[in-house]
Amino acid sequence: MGKFSLSHRIVLAPLTRRRSYGNVPQPHAILYYSQRTSEGGLLIAEATGVSDTAQGYPDTPGIWTKEQVEAWKPIVNAVHAKSGIFFCQIWHVGRVSNTGYQPNGQAPISSTDKPLTPQIQSNGIHVAQFSPPRRLDTDEIPSVVNDFRLAARNAIEAGFDGVEIHGAHGYLIDQFMKDQVNNRTDRYGGSLENRCRFALEIVEAVANEVGADRVGVRLSPFENYAEAGDSNPKALGLHMAQSLNKYGLLYCHMFEPRMKTAGEESESPHSLVPMRKAFNGTFIATGGYEREDGIKAVAENRADLICYGRWFLANSDLPKRFELNAPLNKYNRETFYTSDPVIGYTDYPFLEDAA
């Protein structure tokens, strides 16, 4: 993968775990990421806020302050000590937030002022409430682009090997790209090219800052997560894949069309193959993969690498288990987003412990 030498094609997906108290990465993350590191394996860190307006969940990490950068360093060092390759996913939630997460209780920012309806959270119990967003003025957009650039620079300072720009799942970048959300009339709205302008300005700024060979992008053109759907997702995905080539990005990481939301699979007539063919760099596929269909996707040249989330969360030695075709620990959804620094986080048994 570019200048990085990988030993296998199994990637740790960026997984929000909500254990970064006060938006600062914690020492318990050292063990969590170290457990999931294999020599020459690629890990993508959990979504990490680019600024104090980027948050929309409790205890998600950031990388906009010196304290946060310093807190990431021992975590990154632990991954490198085991010869892993570690990328930081940089993120802004946009309207998927409320005033309680925003500085001075201000409105969340977005491409639009259309509010998001309350949503059942992933635990199936709690309802997330969202405050009506404030539509960014055209002249404010460069400062948000700059937040991503600075976050990328901070990630490299923290020791990360590169960054993944989070352009998926209905968050801020997706809120610009998707026509179900973006109702702007300036140069960031209307046509497909205009709606992708914000995303590509971020790509350019970040690539110029840290080098395109250290930058990937995550996209979910087919997803409707957080009410961010598009009327022509294939055209959107293709346009972005082709546009990314101009910057020479290291990788494109796309969500499978079968995933309509984060945890909901459905039959889809679409495939990622056209985007895979259009993009010149490394192509990472994610979304609902098991061992066998991951092997099949690589064998059929539909992807170079396969990202695993829930299975990697519950099986820190997943590459070894896949190699041996060993049984897997079942994951426990109840502890995905709890704040306990051990339970459901670093206490899943290893293969040798389970024997």
Side-chain angles (χ1 to χ4, degrees):
M1 183 178 78
K3 62 184 178 184
F4 302 103
S5 182
L6 303 184
S7 63
H8 57 77
R9 298 174 187 268
I10 300 156
V11 181
L12 173 68
L15 296 166
T16 292
R17 302 306 313 273
R18 298 189 200 170
R19 288 162 167 89
S20 298
Y21 314 137
N23 306 128
V24 177
Q26 298 295 306
H28 47 249
I30 297 170
L31 179 59
Y32 173 76
Y33 284 108
S34 173
Q35 284 178 336
R36 284 154 187 78
T37 304
S38 53
E39 186 175 344
L42 174 61
L43 289 76
I44 307 171
E46 62 208 272
T48 300
V50 298
S51 69
D52 61 356
T53 67
Q55 304 295 329
Y57 301 90
D59 295 332
T60 50
I63 198 155
W64 71 89
T65 70
K66 184 75 180 157
E67 181 190 9
Q68 290 162 339
V69 172
E70 291 303 315
W72 273 115
K73 285 181 180 178
I75 303 167
V76 177
N77 289 343
V79 170
H80 286 158
K82 292 175 75 173
S83 303
I85 294 141
F86 204 11
F87 272 54
C88 181
Q89 190 191 64
I90 53 176
W91 177 52
H92 195 301
V93 300
R95 68 175 186 167
V96 187
S97 186
N98 63 50
T99 54
Y101 294 111
Q102 297 299 315
N104 307 315
Q106 66 192 41
I109 57 172
S110 182
S111 65
T112 183
D113 54 11
K114 288 191 290 189
L116 197 53
T117 54
Q119 299 187 351
I120 300 286
Q121 292 190 323
S122 25
N123 62 12
I125 304 161
H126 298 116
V127 177
Q129 300 285 347
F130 306 103
S131 305
R134 181 178 69 79
R135 183 198 307 267
L136 283 164
D137 291 337
T138 309
D139 61 3
E140 291 180 287
I141 290 175
S143 73
V144 183
V145 173
N146 195 51
D147 287 338
F148 277 86
R149 181 185 68 81
L150 293 173
R153 180 160 78 187
N154 287 344
I156 300 303
E157 188 192 328
F160 282 102
D161 298 294
V163 296
E164 174 174 290
I165 298 164
H166 195 345
H169 297 171
Y171 296 120
L172 183 62
I173 294 172
D174 218 17
Q175 290 159 32
F176 274 83
M177 289 192 288
K178 300 283 183 68
D179 61 10
Q180 188 180 323
V181 183
N182 186 331
N183 57 357
R184 302 178 72 91
T185 54
D186 62 0
R187 61 198 184 95
Y188 293 96
S191 69
L192 178 59
E193 290 73 18
N194 278 2
R195 285 183 280 116
C196 292
R197 188 185 306 277
F198 177 61
L200 295 173
E201 285 180 353
I202 290 171
V203 166
E204 183 172 29
V206 168
N208 286 344
E209 182 65 38
V210 304
D213 58 348
R214 291 177 178 269
V215 181
V217 177
R218 190 181 224 205
L219 301 167
S220 59
F222 298 95
E223 265 197 319
N224 299 325
Y225 196 64
E227 296 170 12
D230 195 82
S231 60
N232 193 342
K234 184 179 177 184
L236 172 60
L238 263 178
H239 176 72
M240 283 300 293
Q242 290 161 346
S243 299
L244 294 177
N245 289 332
K246 298 172 196 162
Y247 306 97
L249 286 207
L250 178 64
Y251 72 75
C252 178
H253 178 185
M254 268 200 198
F255 239 70
E256 283 288 350
R258 63 187 172 200
M259 305 302 291
K260 294 316 282 180
T261 64
E264 178 196 342
E265 284 188 49
S266 60
E267 288 298 313
S268 172
H270 296 289
S271 109
L272 296 181
V273 170
M275 296 73 173
R276 155 55 159 178
K277 287 180 175 170
F279 182 67
N280 295 337
T282 297
F283 195 83
I284 306 178
T286 193
Y289 274 98
E290 308 281 340
R291 179 182 183 272
E292 296 309 320
D293 57 347
I295 291 169
K296 191 164 181 268
V298 170
E300 294 175 357
N301 201 27
R302 289 185 279 119
D304 297 303
L305 307 172
I306 305 294
C307 234
Y308 290 90
R310 291 164 290 186
W311 289 121
F312 221 144
L313 177 156
N315 298 271
S316 51
D317 49 2
L318 189 69
K320 180 179 173 184
R321 290 183 191 242
F322 274 5
E323 185 181 6
L324 300 172
N325 200 10
L328 302 179
N329 297 325
K330 299 277 189 290
Y331 48 81
N332 178 10
R333 286 184 183 278
E334 301 295 311
T335 55
F336 280 4
Y337 305 116
T338 48
S339 60
D340 192 287
V342 176
I343 297 167
Y345 191 57
T346 54
D347 64 345
Y348 283 101
F350 287 82
L351 193 55
E352 54 266 29
D353 300 338

